[in-house]
Amino acid sequence: MSHAATQQQPATTTPPQRRSPVAAMLRRAGLRLVYLLGLPVALILVWWWASASSGLYYLPAPDVIATTFGEVWFSERFAQDALPSIGRLLAGFALAAVLGVGVGIALGLSRSLRALTEPVLEFLRAIPPPVLVPLLILLVGVTTSMKLLVIVSGCIWPILLNTVEGVRAVDPVLSDTCRCYGVRGPRRLVTLVLRSASPQIMAGLRQALSIAIILMVISEMFASSSGLGFTIVQFQRSFAIPEMWSGIVLLGLLGFTLSVLFQLVERRVLGWYLGLRAATKGE
């Protein structure tokens, strides 16, 4: 047998094909889209099946609600009822944010003031805001001010309490550093106190936003002649069930939209904090 015949040929192996970064990114985006849309689509299908199998008048099919939604809210009713409700919601939330952050900073910086006001604040915080609606109607009347006060009475507490805890949790090393470099007064408040407490302040604002939507609807259901809460109750009383469901869907879309917008603002405001957390996890 010749030497050439006995010599083994080297095996040729094909190198593994690496997936391009663009393809991997598109795959991750596709999987995330499936995860985000999978549950809502499944819930709508279950709802569709339940409405078709039960035949209940009070549980209309999703296509009926979607058609009614367009007929009801893609009209002048949106400007008459939805926009005033959104305006009251944002105004009450903004007023609660200003009061909650301002009072929270004062209480967080002063131990004696915090000890003096803590019993009263704990008592007021324990009162459910919807209980104040009859009292505010007597004091203020059925006005926009009453609805704003209802929203503020519930939204102020998570903002205030989170602000107090955030101010109290300021790093003493950073505080001593500011004192050594002569950073005092308003400059210290902005550069150290507010910046250090901003993660907890934003957490309180996030909680208050969801509370504001609830109280906006409650204030309009009790005493009002317009607004989303009033309209939904009127639909229910007149047995306009698809229209009632369309109002509920609109409230859900409003809450979802506000949550997404708040997340965008939060990422902008807390960019330094989120970057620091990502760097810490990367280590």
Side-chain angles (χ1 to χ4, degrees):
M1 187 177 294
S2 62
H3 178 72
T6 58
Q7 187 177 7
Q8 295 180 355
Q9 296 293 332
T12 58
T13 58
T14 58
Q17 296 181 355
R18 293 184 177 180
R19 186 175 298 171
S20 64
V22 176
M25 183 179 64
L26 292 176
R27 182 174 178 273
R28 288 195 298 267
L31 290 175
R32 184 178 180 184
L33 183 62
V34 171
Y35 291 150
L36 290 176
L37 297 180
L39 182 58
V41 170
L43 291 176
I44 291 175
L45 292 177
V46 171
W47 187 353
W48 215 315
W49 171 81
S51 63
S53 60
S54 63
L56 290 176
Y57 175 71
Y58 302 105
L59 188 64
D63 59 334
V64 176
I65 297 175
T67 303
T68 307
F69 184 91
E71 295 174 354
V72 173
W73 299 110
F74 291 162
S75 63
E76 65 276 2
R77 184 179 289 275
F78 184 83
Q80 294 175 358
D81 294 317
L83 288 183
S85 295
I86 296 173
R88 288 189 287 265
L89 165 67
L90 297 178
F93 176 75
L95 184 58
V98 173
L99 293 175
V101 173
V103 177
I105 291 175
L107 295 178
L109 293 176
S110 175
R111 181 179 302 177
S112 58
L113 181 61
R114 187 168 61 251
L116 178 65
T117 59
E118 186 174 4
V120 178
L121 293 178
E122 288 296 327
F123 173 78
L124 295 176
R125 187 170 68 93
I127 300 176
V131 178
L132 299 176
V133 173
L135 175 62
L136 293 176
I137 291 175
L138 294 175
L139 296 177
V140 185
V142 184
T143 60
T144 301
S145 300
M146 181 273 294
K147 299 166 189 175
L148 292 179
L149 288 175
V150 172
I151 296 173
V152 171
S153 65
C155 294
I156 192 173
W157 300 114
I159 302 173
L160 190 149
L161 296 176
N162 277 276
T163 302
V164 171
E165 293 303 319
V167 172
R168 293 181 60 189
V170 173
D171 191 350
V173 176
L174 294 177
S175 182
D176 292 339
T177 303
C178 288
R179 189 179 301 108
C180 292
Y181 282 94
V183 180
R184 303 178 185 278
R187 186 180 177 188
R188 178 181 181 275
L189 179 65
V190 174
T191 58
L192 175 63
V193 177
L194 282 178
R195 191 175 179 87
S196 299
S198 57
Q200 286 191 258
I201 294 176
M202 295 303 292
L205 291 172
R206 190 187 310 115
Q207 297 174 13
L209 183 60
S210 60
I211 296 174
I213 299 175
I214 298 172
L215 295 178
M216 178 266 293
V217 176
I218 291 176
S219 66
E220 294 174 349
M221 284 182 172
F222 271 99
S224 182
S225 59
S226 64
L228 285 175
F230 170 79
T231 304
I232 292 174
V233 171
Q234 290 300 110
F235 284 149
Q236 182 264 336
R237 290 175 179 174
S238 60
F239 292 94
I241 303 303
E243 288 79 3
M244 181 192 71
W245 278 104
S246 70
I248 296 173
V249 171
L250 180 60
L251 283 174
L253 293 175
L254 173 63
F256 176 78
T257 303
L258 291 177
S259 177
V260 172
L261 293 176
F262 185 85
Q263 288 180 6
L264 295 177
V265 174
E266 186 178 33
R267 290 178 183 176
R268 183 65 179 268
V269 174
L270 298 181
W272 64 273
Y273 177 72
L274 299 176
L276 182 62
R277 287 185 58 185
T280 304
K281 290 181 179 180
E283 294 177 357

